[in-house]
mmCIF file of all heavy atoms in Angstrom:
data_model
loop_
_atom_site.group_PDB
_atom_site.id
_atom_site.type_symbol
_atom_site.label_atom_id
_atom_site.label_comp_id
_atom_site.label_asym_id
_atom_site.label_seq_id
_atom_site.Cartn_x
_atom_site.Cartn_y
_atom_site.Cartn_z
ATOM 1 N N ARG V 16 21.344 -16.971 3.482
ATOM 2 C CA ARG V 16 20.037 -16.804 4.107
ATOM 3 C C ARG V 16 19.826 -15.377 4.642
ATOM 4 O O ARG V 16 18.739 -14.823 4.467
ATOM 5 C CB ARG V 16 19.887 -17.787 5.265
ATOM 6 C CG ARG V 16 19.635 -19.236 4.837
ATOM 7 C CD ARG V 16 19.551 -20.125 6.066
ATOM 8 N NE ARG V 16 18.506 -19.680 6.974
ATOM 9 C CZ ARG V 16 18.418 -20.058 8.242
ATOM 10 N NH1 ARG V 16 19.346 -20.830 8.768
ATOM 11 N NH2 ARG V 16 17.400 -19.624 9.000
ATOM 12 N N LEU V 17 20.850 -14.818 5.260
ATOM 13 C CA LEU V 17 20.652 -13.525 5.892
ATOM 14 C C LEU V 17 20.312 -12.410 4.894
ATOM 15 O O LEU V 17 19.243 -11.806 5.001
ATOM 16 C CB LEU V 17 21.894 -13.157 6.711
ATOM 17 C CG LEU V 17 21.889 -11.771 7.356
ATOM 18 C CD1 LEU V 17 20.655 -11.581 8.239
ATOM 19 C CD2 LEU V 17 23.161 -11.572 8.188
ATOM 20 N N PRO V 18 21.173 -12.145 3.911
ATOM 21 C CA PRO V 18 20.796 -11.069 2.958
ATOM 22 C C PRO V 18 19.611 -11.448 2.080
ATOM 23 O O PRO V 18 18.737 -10.617 1.828
ATOM 24 C CB PRO V 18 22.066 -10.840 2.152
ATOM 25 C CG PRO V 18 22.867 -12.101 2.292
ATOM 26 C CD PRO V 18 22.537 -12.662 3.640
ATOM 27 N N ALA V 19 19.576 -12.693 1.584
ATOM 28 C CA ALA V 19 18.483 -13.087 0.704
ATOM 29 C C ALA V 19 17.130 -13.011 1.396
ATOM 30 O O ALA V 19 16.151 -12.522 0.840
ATOM 31 C CB ALA V 19 18.739 -14.511 0.160
ATOM 32 N N GLY V 20 17.072 -13.494 2.634
ATOM 33 C CA GLY V 20 15.821 -13.434 3.376
ATOM 34 C C GLY V 20 15.420 -12.005 3.690
ATOM 35 O O GLY V 20 14.245 -11.632 3.603
ATOM 36 N N SER V 21 16.406 -11.176 4.043
ATOM 37 C CA SER V 21 16.109 -9.767 4.343
ATOM 38 C C SER V 21 15.603 -9.051 3.097
ATOM 39 O O SER V 21 14.667 -8.247 3.171
ATOM 40 C CB SER V 21 17.361 -9.070 4.863
ATOM 41 O OG SER V 21 17.814 -9.665 6.075
ATOM 42 N N TYR V 22 16.206 -9.367 1.944
ATOM 43 C CA TYR V 22 15.758 -8.749 0.698
ATOM 44 C C TYR V 22 14.319 -9.217 0.375
ATOM 45 O O TYR V 22 13.493 -8.428 -0.072
ATOM 46 C CB TYR V 22 16.666 -9.111 -0.450
ATOM 47 C CG TYR V 22 18.040 -8.466 -0.389
ATOM 48 C CD1 TYR V 22 19.124 -8.989 -1.075
ATOM 49 C CD2 TYR V 22 18.259 -7.326 0.397
ATOM 50 C CE1 TYR V 22 20.380 -8.408 -1.013
ATOM 51 C CE2 TYR V 22 19.522 -6.747 0.449
ATOM 52 C CZ TYR V 22 20.568 -7.274 -0.249
ATOM 53 O OH TYR V 22 21.807 -6.689 -0.185
ATOM 54 N N ALA V 23 14.042 -10.502 0.586
ATOM 55 C CA ALA V 23 12.701 -11.014 0.302
ATOM 56 C C ALA V 23 11.669 -10.343 1.183
ATOM 57 O O ALA V 23 10.565 -9.975 0.717
ATOM 58 C CB ALA V 23 12.674 -12.522 0.496
ATOM 59 N N ALA V 24 11.982 -10.182 2.484
ATOM 60 C CA ALA V 24 11.034 -9.512 3.378
ATOM 61 C C ALA V 24 10.874 -8.038 3.001
ATOM 62 O O ALA V 24 9.776 -7.469 3.115
ATOM 63 C CB ALA V 24 11.523 -9.637 4.818
ATOM 64 N N THR V 25 11.956 -7.401 2.561
ATOM 65 C CA THR V 25 11.866 -6.002 2.116
ATOM 66 C C THR V 25 11.011 -5.892 0.856
ATOM 67 O O THR V 25 10.264 -4.907 0.685
ATOM 68 C CB THR V 25 13.284 -5.448 1.845
ATOM 69 O OG1 THR V 25 14.063 -5.553 3.048
ATOM 70 C CG2 THR V 25 13.234 -3.990 1.417
ATOM 71 N N LEU V 26 11.122 -6.857 -0.042
ATOM 72 C CA LEU V 26 10.313 -6.881 -1.249
ATOM 73 C C LEU V 26 8.816 -6.966 -0.908
ATOM 74 O O LEU V 26 8.004 -6.194 -1.467
ATOM 75 C CB LEU V 26 10.729 -8.045 -2.144
ATOM 76 C CG LEU V 26 10.040 -8.155 -3.516
ATOM 77 C CD1 LEU V 26 11.000 -8.747 -4.563
ATOM 78 C CD2 LEU V 26 8.779 -9.010 -3.456
ATOM 79 N N THR V 27 8.450 -7.865 -0.012
ATOM 80 C CA THR V 27 7.018 -7.993 0.334
ATOM 81 C C THR V 27 6.535 -6.764 1.080
ATOM 82 O O THR V 27 5.355 -6.375 0.968
ATOM 83 C CB THR V 27 6.778 -9.260 1.175
ATOM 84 O OG1 THR V 27 7.672 -9.282 2.283
ATOM 85 C CG2 THR V 27 6.979 -10.516 0.326
ATOM 86 N N ALA V 28 7.439 -6.105 1.837
ATOM 87 C CA ALA V 28 7.062 -4.850 2.491
ATOM 88 C C ALA V 28 6.765 -3.768 1.448
ATOM 89 O O ALA V 28 5.791 -3.019 1.571
ATOM 90 C CB ALA V 28 8.174 -4.400 3.441
ATOM 91 N N GLY V 29 7.602 -3.702 0.408
ATOM 92 C CA GLY V 29 7.342 -2.739 -0.665
ATOM 93 C C GLY V 29 6.007 -3.012 -1.361
ATOM 94 O O GLY V 29 5.297 -2.099 -1.748
ATOM 95 N N LEU V 30 5.686 -4.291 -1.510
ATOM 96 C CA LEU V 30 4.433 -4.669 -2.106
ATOM 97 C C LEU V 30 3.247 -4.164 -1.291
ATOM 98 O O LEU V 30 2.276 -3.621 -1.835
ATOM 99 C CB LEU V 30 4.379 -6.190 -2.247
ATOM 100 C CG LEU V 30 3.258 -6.835 -3.052
ATOM 101 C CD1 LEU V 30 3.765 -8.113 -3.721
ATOM 102 C CD2 LEU V 30 2.088 -7.163 -2.172
ATOM 103 N N MET V 31 3.334 -4.300 0.059
ATOM 104 C CA MET V 31 2.247 -3.815 0.911
ATOM 105 C C MET V 31 2.087 -2.326 0.816
ATOM 106 O O MET V 31 0.960 -1.809 0.722
ATOM 107 C CB MET V 31 2.538 -4.232 2.358
ATOM 108 C CG MET V 31 2.346 -5.682 2.657
ATOM 109 S SD MET V 31 2.548 -6.036 4.423
ATOM 110 C CE MET V 31 4.327 -6.200 4.544
ATOM 111 N N VAL V 32 3.189 -1.597 0.849
ATOM 112 C CA VAL V 32 3.133 -0.140 0.862
ATOM 113 C C VAL V 32 2.504 0.394 -0.409
ATOM 114 O O VAL V 32 1.655 1.285 -0.368
ATOM 115 C CB VAL V 32 4.545 0.441 1.062
ATOM 116 C CG1 VAL V 32 4.538 1.948 0.798
ATOM 117 C CG2 VAL V 32 5.053 0.150 2.457
ATOM 118 N N ILE V 33 2.906 -0.137 -1.561
ATOM 119 C CA ILE V 33 2.368 0.377 -2.822
ATOM 120 C C ILE V 33 0.871 0.053 -2.949
ATOM 121 O O ILE V 33 0.097 0.873 -3.462
ATOM 122 C CB ILE V 33 3.160 -0.178 -4.022
ATOM 123 C CG1 ILE V 33 2.888 0.706 -5.281
ATOM 124 C CG2 ILE V 33 2.814 -1.620 -4.329
ATOM 125 C CD1 ILE V 33 3.409 2.095 -5.180
ATOM 126 N N GLY V 34 0.475 -1.132 -2.470
ATOM 127 C CA GLY V 34 -0.951 -1.477 -2.531
ATOM 128 C C GLY V 34 -1.798 -0.508 -1.735
ATOM 129 O O GLY V 34 -2.862 -0.058 -2.169
ATOM 130 N N LEU V 35 -1.306 -0.177 -0.549
ATOM 131 C CA LEU V 35 -2.047 0.735 0.317
ATOM 132 C C LEU V 35 -2.017 2.165 -0.249
ATOM 133 O O LEU V 35 -3.037 2.872 -0.255
ATOM 134 C CB LEU V 35 -1.453 0.741 1.712
ATOM 135 C CG LEU V 35 -2.351 1.221 2.835
ATOM 136 C CD1 LEU V 35 -3.627 0.389 2.923
ATOM 137 C CD2 LEU V 35 -1.604 1.197 4.153
ATOM 138 N N SER V 36 -0.849 2.586 -0.745
ATOM 139 C CA SER V 36 -0.695 3.958 -1.245
ATOM 140 C C SER V 36 -1.604 4.224 -2.442
ATOM 141 O O SER V 36 -2.137 5.328 -2.617
ATOM 142 C CB SER V 36 0.756 4.219 -1.626
ATOM 143 O OG SER V 36 1.597 4.079 -0.504
ATOM 144 N N ILE V 37 -1.792 3.219 -3.304
ATOM 145 C CA ILE V 37 -2.592 3.392 -4.504
ATOM 146 C C ILE V 37 -4.073 3.284 -4.201
ATOM 147 O O ILE V 37 -4.886 4.112 -4.657
ATOM 148 C CB ILE V 37 -2.189 2.355 -5.576
ATOM 149 C CG1 ILE V 37 -0.771 2.642 -6.092
ATOM 150 C CG2 ILE V 37 -3.184 2.402 -6.758
ATOM 151 C CD1 ILE V 37 -0.274 1.589 -7.073
ATOM 152 N N TYR V 38 -4.473 2.285 -3.424
ATOM 153 C CA TYR V 38 -5.895 1.906 -3.346
ATOM 154 C C TYR V 38 -6.634 2.444 -2.133
ATOM 155 O O TYR V 38 -7.854 2.554 -2.176
ATOM 156 C CB TYR V 38 -6.030 0.380 -3.418
ATOM 157 C CG TYR V 38 -5.626 -0.134 -4.797
ATOM 158 C CD1 TYR V 38 -4.390 -0.709 -4.988
ATOM 159 C CD2 TYR V 38 -6.465 0.045 -5.888
ATOM 160 C CE1 TYR V 38 -3.999 -1.151 -6.265
ATOM 161 C CE2 TYR V 38 -6.091 -0.398 -7.161
ATOM 162 C CZ TYR V 38 -4.860 -0.976 -7.330
ATOM 163 O OH TYR V 38 -4.471 -1.405 -8.582
ATOM 164 N N LEU V 39 -5.934 2.825 -1.062
ATOM 165 C CA LEU V 39 -6.676 3.367 0.079
ATOM 166 C C LEU V 39 -7.293 4.729 -0.235
ATOM 167 O O LEU V 39 -8.491 4.938 0.015
ATOM 168 C CB LEU V 39 -5.750 3.472 1.301
ATOM 169 C CG LEU V 39 -6.387 4.096 2.545
ATOM 170 C CD1 LEU V 39 -7.648 3.334 2.968
ATOM 171 C CD2 LEU V 39 -5.400 4.166 3.705
ATOM 172 N N PRO V 40 -6.527 5.721 -0.790
ATOM 173 C CA PRO V 40 -7.183 6.979 -1.132
ATOM 174 C C PRO V 40 -8.304 6.792 -2.163
ATOM 175 O O PRO V 40 -9.358 7.460 -2.073
ATOM 176 C CB PRO V 40 -6.040 7.831 -1.712
ATOM 177 C CG PRO V 40 -4.789 7.212 -1.163
ATOM 178 C CD PRO V 40 -5.091 5.747 -1.059
ATOM 179 N N ASN V 41 -8.101 5.895 -3.114
ATOM 180 C CA ASN V 41 -9.125 5.640 -4.125
ATOM 181 C C ASN V 41 -10.385 5.083 -3.475
ATOM 182 O O ASN V 41 -11.516 5.470 -3.818
ATOM 183 C CB ASN V 41 -8.585 4.661 -5.170
ATOM 184 C CG ASN V 41 -9.466 4.541 -6.388
ATOM 185 O OD1 ASN V 41 -9.862 5.552 -6.960
ATOM 186 N ND2 ASN V 41 -9.791 3.337 -6.765
ATOM 187 N N TRP V 42 -10.230 4.132 -2.535
ATOM 188 C CA TRP V 42 -11.365 3.555 -1.827
ATOM 189 C C TRP V 42 -12.102 4.635 -1.027
ATOM 190 O O TRP V 42 -13.350 4.698 -1.020
ATOM 191 C CB TRP V 42 -10.879 2.423 -0.909
ATOM 192 C CG TRP V 42 -11.965 1.824 -0.060
ATOM 193 C CD1 TRP V 42 -12.807 0.802 -0.398
ATOM 194 C CD2 TRP V 42 -12.334 2.210 1.275
ATOM 195 N NE1 TRP V 42 -13.672 0.528 0.636
ATOM 196 C CE2 TRP V 42 -13.398 1.375 1.657
ATOM 197 C CE3 TRP V 42 -11.848 3.162 2.160
ATOM 198 C CZ2 TRP V 42 -13.987 1.472 2.927
ATOM 199 C CZ3 TRP V 42 -12.451 3.264 3.413
ATOM 200 C CH2 TRP V 42 -13.499 2.429 3.774
ATOM 201 N N ALA V 43 -11.335 5.476 -0.323
ATOM 202 C CA ALA V 43 -11.954 6.507 0.508
ATOM 203 C C ALA V 43 -12.790 7.494 -0.324
ATOM 204 O O ALA V 43 -13.842 7.947 0.123
ATOM 205 C CB ALA V 43 -10.879 7.264 1.288
ATOM 206 N N GLN V 44 -12.321 7.787 -1.523
ATOM 207 C CA GLN V 44 -13.061 8.708 -2.388
ATOM 208 C C GLN V 44 -14.276 8.058 -3.026
ATOM 209 O O GLN V 44 -15.375 8.603 -2.988
ATOM 210 C CB GLN V 44 -12.133 9.282 -3.468
ATOM 211 C CG GLN V 44 -11.059 10.207 -2.932
ATOM 212 C CD GLN V 44 -10.179 10.780 -4.041
ATOM 213 O OE1 GLN V 44 -10.576 11.655 -4.813
ATOM 214 N NE2 GLN V 44 -8.972 10.256 -4.140
ATOM 215 N N GLN V 45 -14.074 6.886 -3.637
ATOM 216 C CA GLN V 45 -15.147 6.295 -4.448
ATOM 217 C C GLN V 45 -16.143 5.491 -3.638
ATOM 218 O O GLN V 45 -17.290 5.306 -4.084
ATOM 219 C CB GLN V 45 -14.529 5.418 -5.549
ATOM 220 C CG GLN V 45 -13.657 6.173 -6.512
ATOM 221 C CD GLN V 45 -13.422 5.420 -7.798
ATOM 222 O OE1 GLN V 45 -14.302 4.739 -8.308
ATOM 223 N NE2 GLN V 45 -12.217 5.537 -8.328
ATOM 224 N N VAL V 46 -15.743 5.005 -2.465
ATOM 225 C CA VAL V 46 -16.674 4.214 -1.644
ATOM 226 C C VAL V 46 -17.261 5.052 -0.527
ATOM 227 O O VAL V 46 -18.494 5.058 -0.327
ATOM 228 C CB VAL V 46 -15.949 2.966 -1.056
ATOM 229 C CG1 VAL V 46 -16.892 2.182 -0.152
ATOM 230 C CG2 VAL V 46 -15.442 2.077 -2.211
ATOM 231 N N LEU V 47 -16.426 5.789 0.194
ATOM 232 C CA LEU V 47 -16.929 6.607 1.301
ATOM 233 C C LEU V 47 -17.385 7.985 0.831
ATOM 234 O O LEU V 47 -18.088 8.685 1.579
ATOM 235 C CB LEU V 47 -15.857 6.767 2.375
ATOM 236 C CG LEU V 47 -15.436 5.503 3.128
ATOM 237 C CD1 LEU V 47 -14.508 5.868 4.285
ATOM 238 C CD2 LEU V 47 -16.624 4.712 3.626
ATOM 239 N N GLY V 48 -16.967 8.396 -0.364
ATOM 240 C CA GLY V 48 -17.377 9.691 -0.898
ATOM 241 C C GLY V 48 -16.583 10.865 -0.325
ATOM 242 O O GLY V 48 -17.041 12.013 -0.400
ATOM 243 N N LEU V 49 -15.394 10.611 0.219
ATOM 244 C CA LEU V 49 -14.566 11.695 0.740
ATOM 245 C C LEU V 49 -13.925 12.481 -0.399
ATOM 246 O O LEU V 49 -13.748 11.954 -1.504
ATOM 247 C CB LEU V 49 -13.477 11.138 1.653
ATOM 248 C CG LEU V 49 -13.903 10.308 2.855
ATOM 249 C CD1 LEU V 49 -12.672 9.842 3.641
ATOM 250 C CD2 LEU V 49 -14.840 11.113 3.750
ATOM 251 N N ASP V 50 -13.558 13.725 -0.138
ATOM 252 C CA ASP V 50 -12.816 14.458 -1.147
ATOM 253 C C ASP V 50 -11.350 14.060 -1.122
ATOM 254 O O ASP V 50 -10.906 13.283 -0.264
ATOM 255 C CB ASP V 50 -12.967 15.975 -0.945
ATOM 256 C CG ASP V 50 -12.460 16.456 0.381
ATOM 257 O OD1 ASP V 50 -11.498 15.833 0.942
ATOM 258 O OD2 ASP V 50 -12.996 17.444 0.925
ATOM 259 N N ALA V 51 -10.588 14.541 -2.097
ATOM 260 C CA ALA V 51 -9.209 14.102 -2.252
ATOM 261 C C ALA V 51 -8.355 14.417 -1.040
ATOM 262 O O ALA V 51 -7.482 13.623 -0.664
ATOM 263 C CB ALA V 51 -8.605 14.731 -3.523
ATOM 264 N N VAL V 52 -8.598 15.570 -0.417
ATOM 265 C CA VAL V 52 -7.804 15.968 0.723
ATOM 266 C C VAL V 52 -8.050 15.038 1.915
ATOM 267 O O VAL V 52 -7.133 14.524 2.556
ATOM 268 C CB VAL V 52 -8.097 17.413 1.123
ATOM 269 C CG1 VAL V 52 -7.382 17.800 2.410
ATOM 270 C CG2 VAL V 52 -7.705 18.374 0.000
ATOM 271 N N ALA V 53 -9.331 14.767 2.190
ATOM 272 C CA ALA V 53 -9.677 13.877 3.305
ATOM 273 C C ALA V 53 -9.151 12.457 3.052
ATOM 274 O O ALA V 53 -8.697 11.787 3.983
ATOM 275 C CB ALA V 53 -11.189 13.857 3.521
ATOM 276 N N ALA V 54 -9.257 12.003 1.818
ATOM 277 C CA ALA V 54 -8.740 10.689 1.469
ATOM 278 C C ALA V 54 -7.238 10.611 1.688
ATOM 279 O O ALA V 54 -6.707 9.607 2.119
ATOM 280 C CB ALA V 54 -9.097 10.335 0.025
#
């Protein structure tokens, strides 16, 4: 339970980070109209 559960929680954490890293700058540029630097 200890390592398997920790790995599973680490996996879902990686999922959150990549989702935000890819789509937040894209949303800021295409929806709010910010430039790449501001995004």
